[in-house]
Amino acid sequence: MQVKKLADLDVRGKKVFIRADLNVPQDDAGNITEDTRIRASIPSIQYCLDNGAAVMVTSHLGRPTEGTVGPDDTLAPVAVRLGQLLHKPVKLVSGWVDGGFTVEPGQIVLLENCRCNKGEKKDNEELARKMAALCDIYVNDAFGTAHRAEATTHGIARFAPVACAGMLMGAEIDALSKALHEPKRPLVAIVGGAKVSTKLTILKTLADKVDQLIVGGGIANTFLLAAGKRIGESLAEPEMVREAQQVMDIMKARGAEVPLPVDVVVADEVSALARANRISVDEVGPHDRILDFGPKSSARLADIIAHAGTIVWNGPVGVFEHAQFAGGTKMMASAIAHSEAFSIAGGGDTLAAIAKFHIANDVGYISTGGGAFLEFLEGKTLPAIAALEARFGG
């Protein structure tokens, strides 16, 4: 994927419009409870400020009604946090689409919640052209919204004088391309989660590419059903058994495999107090719920990961929130942390597991995009990236 990169451009004296992803969680009083996304946006902003650009930054926040900025929709708390991180004042500008505000080289303004503008979500061309007229260079640094064609992620990229990827977006594109388009073999994918139906496209796409496809959670239970195993009252989708079988057949035809668990951890309920039993997969009783991989299966996965060249990780293999069902995910996380392979991880539950087992510094690349990460794995074209690719030559 060829896109212009911010770091390759001369921004001195230029008006730069950065679409960042500053959609951070807040408490009822409006205080920011977790600022990872704001921190992740700093490198692109700092680069532009250090090199004498006049910087405008915008983002969406929450799910506002277009045309109004309610008290829950304002980026005001984000402006304060951004100012603290940059050690300089960040002015918040409302009603900015038609201009009427000033920003000097070396200064930064935050443009109020872009999803409050009428036409943003529908990628309105008139809105996109007005925003493009505000800048000399458009920078998309919001990978988390790359799978949506909106005015600030797609339309503006068509009409701005120059359109490029920011530091974060560029790193995402490079990491995902490295993992999926030119992977060092063996390529191992880990896909966990509750439902085969929500991950079916990914599983089928990966089945054509990977050497080992590790499935976990409810997905693994559906695959066990497809392999003729009894799963008791475990979370599964019996109606997806045929699709699971197809994925295994695609892999088998290529000499690849889906390594299913040989032992599991079961309980009669999902709770912190549930009594966990480790049993062979052939001993699952009618009222058992499979909630994790057993030690033999976990050790086998760790061995597969140890010999991998590239690892793509999306989803835990068990209910890792409870200690007695965390063993499989913990062993897998440890194996990824100790592996020499290039690893890329993404998705909310995966990020929670990485945080819980303290391996963030040992994962090759942690993707900031949930939906965008999944759609990239599915092989879909992401509109925001396609718009930047279209502008690569001009």
Side-chain angles (χ1 to χ4, degrees), residues 49-64:
L49 291 172
D50 290 348
N51 286 282
V55 183
M56 300 163 267
V57 181
T58 195
S59 171
H60 70 291
L61 181 72
R63 296 168 188 257

Side-chain angles (χ1 to χ4, degrees), residues 6-46:
L6 174 61
D8 297 332
L9 301 179
D10 178 10
V11 299
R12 186 163 300 281
K14 300 283 201 313
K15 289 180 286 183
V16 178
F17 183 112
I18 300 176
R19 170 55 159 106
D21 182 0
L22 309 173
N23 185 28
V24 288
Q26 294 168 282
D27 63 20
D28 292 342
N31 301 307
I32 293 167
T33 54
E34 210 280 325
D35 68 355
T36 301
R37 284 179 171 160
I38 301 177
R39 289 176 182 277
S41 73
I42 296 293
S44 290
I45 297 169
Q46 196 69 60

Side-chain angles (χ1 to χ4, degrees), residues 9 20 31 41 45 62-63 83 87 100 162 174 187 229 232 241 251 259 265 283 286 312 322 363 377-378:
L9 301 179
N31 301 307
S41 73
I45 297 169
R63 296 168 188 257
H87 308 294
V162 175
D174 290 347
L187 170 57
K229 302 292 184 187
V241 161
M251 296 284 288
V265 179
E283 294 169 5
V312 177
H322 301 308
V363 176
L377 293 189
E378 286 177 26

